[in-house]
Amino acid sequence: MTGGRATRTGAAAALHTPYAHPTALLRALRTRPTVLLLTLLAACATLLGPAAAASSAADYRYWSFWKGGADGWAYQQVGPAGNVPADGAVDGWRFVLSPDGGQDAPRPGPAADFAAICQGTAPSGGHKRVAVVLDFGTAQDAPGGEQPPAARTSCASVPTAANSAEVLAAVAAPLRYDSGALLCAIAGYPHAGCGDQVAAGSNSGAKDGGSDGGPSLGLLAGAGAVVLLGAGAVWQARRRRTR
């Protein structure tokens, strides 16, 4: 653009110039109205597509599982029943409100410091020591009516063959599982629910109302205006041809 005017001409310029005047847009559309109307409809679909996807997005409340090390926390790639920690390992748990429980989920707050957590637990034959960090999340993550306990740490002394589920049971009972063996509660928290789905971007501390994540009224109106402009251009072009 030079001096606020488009340097390109024709329909392509009108479609790609954000500030093109509607009259200029109509003149450009008359060149190939049918093709350009289809292009405009495709553009509307592109605009509305992400908004429609956002409206169907969801978060979940669940206990995420982490492995502690010198570099901090790393998301565990296996479940607690399939993970057998070594002596000196650190298992971390964080109750979260997150889309998928992957690498972007919030990490446990307390540090993964085995020496500090297990300094008061002496080694014993046939057993291993595993540090356990429990982070119950924030009030915003909590199910309605519940208050998360303060984060805490424990040192589990368990048989050397124990998996992380057994380690957790040794220091954080009662545990609650669903019928599919999904871990629902640690140390009795939360009292109810298991992997509950929540509308994306919402939390128990927020009041109902506001946007539901769907397309905004302004976006819908803008898309409708574009379609009407294109339809008007097609009508005018056909009318001129019939004269």
Side-chain angles (χ1 to χ4, degrees), residues 167-232:
V167 169
L168 187 62
V171 296
L175 306 181
R176 176 166 57 85
Y177 291 88
D178 70 0
S179 59
L182 176 66
L183 180 62
C184 305
I186 295 176
Y189 181 83
H191 299 305
C194 192
D196 295 335
Q197 181 175 326
V198 182
S202 69
N203 56 62
S204 60
K207 296 181 180 179
D208 291 337
S211 173
D212 62 358
S216 69
L217 180 60
L219 179 59
L220 291 172
V226 170
V227 173
L228 288 175
L229 280 172

Side-chain angles (χ1 to χ4, degrees), residues 4-81:
R5 299 179 64 87
T7 57
R8 290 178 293 179
T9 60
L15 288 174
H16 291 89
T17 305
Y19 304 105
H21 192 277
T23 303
L25 176 60
L26 286 174
R27 285 200 301 267
L29 285 170
R30 289 171 189 156
T31 58
R32 293 183 180 179
T34 303
V35 173
L36 289 171
L37 179 57
L38 292 175
T39 303
L40 288 170
L41 290 172
C44 291
T46 301
L47 287 171
L48 294 174
S55 67
S56 63
D59 292 337
Y60 296 87
R61 287 191 178 98
Y62 59 91
W63 278 99
S64 60
F65 182 32
W66 301 84
K67 178 180 181 180
D71 296 328
W73 296 107
Y75 188 73
Q76 275 284 16
Q77 300 300 318
V78 297

Side-chain angles (χ1 to χ4, degrees), residues 106-149:
R107 289 158 171 72
D113 190 341
F114 173 82
I117 296 171
C118 287
Q119 61 180 346
T121 304
S124 62
H127 282 63
K128 61 185 176 185
R129 295 175 300 162
V130 178
V132 179
V133 173
L134 300 179
D135 187 334
F136 295 85
T138 66
Q140 287 72 33
D141 299 334
E146 296 203 45
Q147 184 65 31

